Amino acid sequence: MTQTDSSADSQMLLAVPTKAARKAAASTVAALLSRTDCADIVRVGIPRALLYYRYGVLWTTFFEQLGREVVVSDISDKDTFDAGERISVDECCLASKLYLGHVQSLIGACDAVFVPSLANKGHRKGFCTKYQSLPDLVANTFYDRELRIVSLLVNETEEKIDEKSAFIALGQRFGVSAADAKRAYRAAFSAQQRADRVAARAQERLMARLDQERKHAQDQKPDRDRTVEQAPASAPRSGAPSMEPPIDGQLVAARPSQVRHEAPLAILLVAHPYVAHDPFVNGGVVDVLESMGASVLYADQTDHGKALHESFEFSETLPWIVNRELVGSVTLLHAHVDGIVLVSAFPCGPDSMTNDAVARCIQGKPILSLIVDAQSGTAGLETRIESFIDILRYQQRGGYLHG
Ligand code: SF4
């Protein structure tokens, strides 16, 4: 085709790509792929925040496979958060403010910071828009600083770019061949899968042990039922000795063997991974639960594929993949836990909708919903968790909540 083509031909050109147009497009893609603008980067910085807690193994392994040194920012603390908050707009959620603090801490410690843009992994598998806009957010926040950003885009629905092709293209920008970039991605993908499997299996083993202990405690129940029937109306506090009626009707402390057989208390913690596994963000909720004798199961450590599949039983339309996996995990683990704790970072849009739906629709288990922000401190959190655990213990002993 030439510029002298008739208008009818031009219309056809718009409707059906010609051989020449396809060739031109292919050479543009090839030119983009052959860019090696990251070849000089030796040290890649990765902020220990947001989806690092989900894809950290994948990202780290990928760059290491490319022969790069990876620098991960330190664990979160108040200084990191304060730094992030100073440069954030008020509307940012706690987790994304903290992310900016982590980025800032990497300036000068690496040649470039990896800030991916994750939009979706397909229909109904979207990511929070914050993850998608991160490269723009970081570039605009640090426009006057010496900060080089390395990014990629995963957007299967609109751009038809899946994770694998995004990483292969990125690898080529680091100056390696397509085949080597593919190998690096495969190794990284397998490493992430292995890490996820190890976490999921460890959790399954813990759950099986708790189920067994619960059954064992159930077998001891006649003794404990007798205890409860004679117990005073107020619920004993967790950790207090249970009471049994002696022959003369006075209540005395239970024998140690009975205390030992108290059923375990399994709590399902439902939160984004960067909330659940970062004690600075969650206000130490895991420590508080464990200090009260509870065993914590993590909703984000259930097999991701199973949880995602299960989530469609709960909702056909929920748009966010991570929230989907959390919800799916709630329904899969429901029968194995005594209570559910939802933790959300203020002000999280996806969680406000999802957690409200969970609280309304998941029946039969007590649910505690917590919203954390960096200003609130932990005193209120501890009090609420203590009350929640007291209620669960009372229920276990035959109290006023019956499933
Ligand atoms: S999912 Fe919520 S907490 Fe996470 S980045 Fe988005 S708004 Fe922030």
Side-chain angles (χ1 to χ4, degrees):
M1 288 263 168
T2 67
Q3 295 213 330
T4 56
D5 290 332
S6 67
S7 82
D9 286 343
S10 298
Q11 288 302 317
M12 274 189 66
L13 180 67
L14 288 174
V16 183
T18 62
K19 214 176 189 176
R22 279 199 298 272
K23 208 169 156 191
S27 72
T28 307
V29 170
L32 281 172
L33 289 180
S34 70
R35 271 195 308 151
T36 53
D37 55 321
C38 300
D40 60 319
I41 296 172
V42 177
R43 304 180 89 201
V44 180
I46 302 183
R48 191 189 295 269
L50 291 181
L51 291 182
Y52 170 79
Y53 283 89
R54 179 185 169 89
Y55 295 120
V57 175
L58 173 85
W59 297 346
T60 306
T61 311
F62 178 74
F63 289 115
E64 286 173 350
Q65 288 286 318
L66 295 184
R68 266 50 185 196
E69 187 186 336
V70 174
V71 182
V72 180
S73 57
D74 289 340
I75 55 171
S76 309
D77 60 16
K78 183 142 175 25
D79 289 344
T80 325
F81 176 75
D82 288 346
E85 191 177 36
R86 272 195 295 275
I87 50 180
S88 300
V89 293
D90 288 348
E91 290 71 26
C92 279
C93 64
L94 166 70
S96 49
K97 285 177 182 170
L98 185 62
Y99 185 87
L100 292 178
H102 278 277
V103 172
Q104 178 153 310
S105 74
L106 287 166
I107 295 176
C110 56
D111 301 322
V113 179
F114 179 56
V115 185
S117 171
L118 304 180
N120 62 70
K121 286 190 156 189
H123 186 57
R124 302 279 187 242
K125 296 177 193 167
F127 288 100
C128 167
T129 49
K130 296 272 192 333
Y131 311 148
Q132 188 173 357
S133 60
L134 274 185
D136 289 336
L137 180 69
V138 172
N140 284 304
T141 305
F142 296 98
Y143 72 96
D144 57 350
R145 304 287 300 269
E146 290 279 311
L147 177 68
R148 190 168 169 191
I149 298 170
V150 175
S151 190
L152 54 68
L153 169 70
V154 176
N155 183 340
E156 292 192 25
T157 54
E158 285 93 23
E159 310 278 344
K160 311 291 174 225
I161 303 172
D162 63 10
E163 182 184 86
K164 182 178 172 185
S165 46
F167 271 96
I168 292 173
L170 181 63
Q172 289 176 272
R173 288 178 57 201
F174 274 77
V176 304
S177 67
D180 285 343
K182 204 174 191 172
R183 260 192 293 279
Y185 174 72
R186 276 206 194 120
F189 181 78
S190 303
Q192 183 68 61
Q193 293 264 305
R194 260 195 313 278
D196 292 347
R197 251 192 328 266
V198 167
R201 291 208 179 129
Q203 179 141 297
E204 282 162 17
R205 279 197 298 276
L206 171 62
M207 213 158 63
R209 180 169 66 72
L210 293 170
D211 284 348
Q212 212 171 19
E213 285 176 12
R214 194 173 287 114
K215 187 174 175 309
H216 185 56
Q218 189 70 24
D219 293 343
Q220 310 283 322
K221 212 166 178 232
D223 276 358
R224 295 190 306 117
D225 281 351
R226 191 159 50 85
T227 303
V228 167
E229 279 160 21
Q230 303 291 328
S234 62
R237 286 183 61 82
S238 167
S242 57
M243 309 296 279
E244 68 170 353
I247 291 154
D248 64 2
Q250 296 289 307
L251 290 167
V252 297
R255 290 186 301 275
S257 61
Q258 283 178 292
V259 175
R260 231 180 8 251
H261 293 310
E262 188 171 58
L265 204 58
I267 302 295
L268 181 62
L269 182 67
V270 184
H272 278 78
Y274 43 87
V275 176
H277 303 286
D278 186 337
F280 177 79
V281 178
N282 66 41
V285 62
V286 175
D287 284 347
V288 179
L289 285 165
E290 288 180 345
S291 72
M292 300 197 70
S295 297
V296 177
L297 300 172
Y298 295 91
D300 70 302
Q301 286 185 349
T302 304
D303 178 283
H304 290 166
K306 279 188 201 161
L308 181 63
H309 183 261
E310 177 76 14
S311 74
F312 285 88
E313 295 293 320
F314 182 84
S315 166
E316 271 296 320
T317 54
L318 193 66
W320 306 287
I321 183 170
V322 181
N323 288 87
R324 274 201 168 278
E325 289 168 0
L326 296 176
V327 164
S329 185
V330 170
T331 59
L332 283 172
L333 271 54
H334 186 268
H336 302 274
V337 299
D338 302 286
I340 297 168
V341 175
L342 310 170
V343 187
S344 172
F346 180 81
C348 176
D351 280 0
S352 66
M353 190 175 140
T354 312
N355 290 359
D356 188 59
V358 168
R360 285 168 193 272
C361 303
I362 300 289
Q363 305 287 321
K365 296 287 158 154
I367 296 177
L368 173 65
S369 185
L370 301 170
I371 296 177
V372 287
D373 71 49
Q375 318 299 337
S376 57
T378 56
L381 201 80
E382 283 169 19
T383 309
R384 292 188 65 194
I385 294 172
E386 275 174 20
S387 308
F388 185 64
I389 295 291
D390 280 350
I391 289 168
L392 296 183
R393 286 278 184 220
Y394 189 45
Q395 182 180 12
Q396 258 187 351
R397 292 169 177 143
Y400 45 79
L401 294 173
H402 296 280

